[in-house]
């Protein structure tokens, strides 16, 4: 529960749904699975996930993304990513100081199970090719889910646990079927290892 609360401070606009709780747990397991200490930071579009919010956002703008919103802790941008148009990029900083450590990509909203799984499987194959097999993977639905229509409904209601966790020496990446209110989409979350450890140390200083 403490870990869930800690993550919610990094991503304040997310409600702690069942899907988010499971993704948070996956993140925590992923971080524990990374035994080797890599040098440097996890990268996003070739940009190290590090630095202040303003400096990181500027680097993404230089890559062609368009800023939609920015406050003191988060920023949202729009642009093309991994072959998909009109993706939303969410940039998050640490709780008590301006240091980027977490990036979330929301891919376009899909209206049916076929479209959702097409995105998921395509991204899964690319991630597996680049990073190897996921260290953790879940394909679970609440209750009776024997049809594509019901599976899609479960995702939309937050009653699914469908994700794959990939590790690198410098952090973790989680691919998931996700939702926001009544919309379904695939999300991709990047968590930088070094700055996430700093976030944990920063939170522990409050104890």
């Amino acid at each position: 529960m403490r870990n869930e609360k800690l993550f919610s401070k990094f991503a304040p606009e997310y409600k702690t749904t069942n899907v988010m709780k499971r993704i948070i747990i996956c993140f925590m397991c992923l971080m524990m699975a990374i035994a080797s200490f890599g040098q440097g930071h996890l990268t996003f579009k070739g940009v190290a996930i590090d630095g202040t919010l303003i400096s990181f956002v500027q680097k993404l703008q230089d890559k062609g993304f368009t800023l939609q919103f920015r406050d003191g802790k988060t920023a949202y941008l729009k642009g093309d990513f991994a072959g998909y148009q009109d993706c939303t990029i969410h940039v998050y900083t640490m709780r008590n100081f301006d240091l980027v450590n977490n990036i979330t990509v929301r891919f376009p909203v899909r209206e049916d199970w076929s479209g959702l799984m097409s995105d998921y499987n395509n991204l899964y194959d690319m991630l597996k090719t680049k990073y190897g097999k996921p260290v953790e993977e879940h394909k679970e639905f609440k209750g009776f889910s024997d049809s594509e229509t019901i599976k899609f409904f479960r995702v939309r209601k937050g009653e699914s646990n469908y994700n794959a966790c990939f590790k690198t020496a410098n952090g973790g990446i989680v691919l998931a079927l996700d939702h926001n209110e009544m919309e379904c989409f695939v999300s991709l979350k990047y968590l930088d290892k070094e700055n996430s450890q700093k976030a944990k140390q920063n939170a522990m200083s409050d104890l």
Side-chain angles (χ1 to χ4, degrees):
M1 183 62 71
R2 285 185 58 213
N3 287 337
E4 294 169 12
K5 291 180 179 179
L6 176 59
F7 187 90
S8 68
K9 293 173 182 176
F10 302 152
E13 90 289 359
Y14 275 113
K15 294 181 180 179
T16 309
T17 63
N18 288 334
V19 172
M20 281 306 301
K21 289 179 181 178
R22 290 163 185 150
I23 292 174
I24 292 165
I25 292 171
C26 184
F27 256 136
M28 297 307 168
C29 292
L30 180 61
M31 289 298 99
M32 289 188 290
I34 300 174
S36 61
F37 286 89
Q39 296 180 350
H41 294 274
L42 188 65
T43 61
F44 178 81
K45 288 286 288 186
V47 178
I49 302 177
D50 191 28
T52 66
L53 183 64
I54 290 178
S55 66
F56 187 84
V57 166
Q58 182 59 59
K59 291 175 183 177
L60 291 189
Q61 289 179 290
D62 292 342
K63 293 282 186 178
F65 291 98
T66 302
L67 180 64
Q68 303 292 304
F69 168 83
R70 186 181 69 213
D71 61 14
K73 295 183 178 297
T74 62
Y76 310 148
L77 302 95
K78 283 279 191 178
D80 300 342
F81 182 77
Y84 291 85
Q85 297 181 336
D86 200 30
C87 297
T88 304
I89 315 300
H90 294 222
V91 182
Y92 304 109
T93 61
M94 294 168 57
R95 179 163 62 96
N96 287 337
F97 55 96
D98 190 7
L99 182 65
V100 173
N101 75 315
N102 178 10
I103 311 297
T104 297
V105 181
R106 292 184 180 181
F107 291 88
V109 172
R110 299 306 181 196
E111 302 298 331
D112 55 35
W113 178 255
S114 176
L116 199 61
M117 285 308 298
S118 177
D119 290 350
Y120 185 93
N121 291 332
N122 181 45
L123 290 162
Y124 181 97
D125 289 343
M126 289 192 287
L127 288 165
K128 184 178 178 181
T129 298
K130 185 171 183 178
Y131 299 108
K133 293 181 180 180
V135 295
E136 189 172 349
E137 191 169 0
H138 302 280
K139 296 181 179 181
E140 303 166 354
F141 299 91
K142 181 179 179 180
F144 188 65
S145 302
D146 66 335
S147 72
E148 292 184 354
T149 300
I150 295 177
K151 288 178 180 178
F152 188 79
F153 174 79
R154 297 296 187 197
V155 174
R156 191 173 64 183
K157 297 291 288 183
E159 298 176 349
S160 68
N161 181 28
Y162 205 109
N163 53 61
C165 306
F166 298 84
K167 76 169 183 177
T168 77
N170 297 318
I173 303 171
V174 177
L175 175 70
L177 298 186
D178 212 335
H179 73 106
N180 180 23
E181 297 179 351
M182 298 300 288
E183 297 179 333
C184 295
F185 49 87
V186 173
S187 68
L188 196 56
K189 305 177 189 297
Y190 291 74
L191 188 66
D192 179 70
K193 178 183 177 183
E194 182 175 332
N195 286 351
S196 294
Q197 289 175 335
K198 291 179 181 177
K200 183 177 179 179
Q201 293 171 355
N202 183 54
M204 289 175 63
S205 68
D206 292 342
L207 300 177

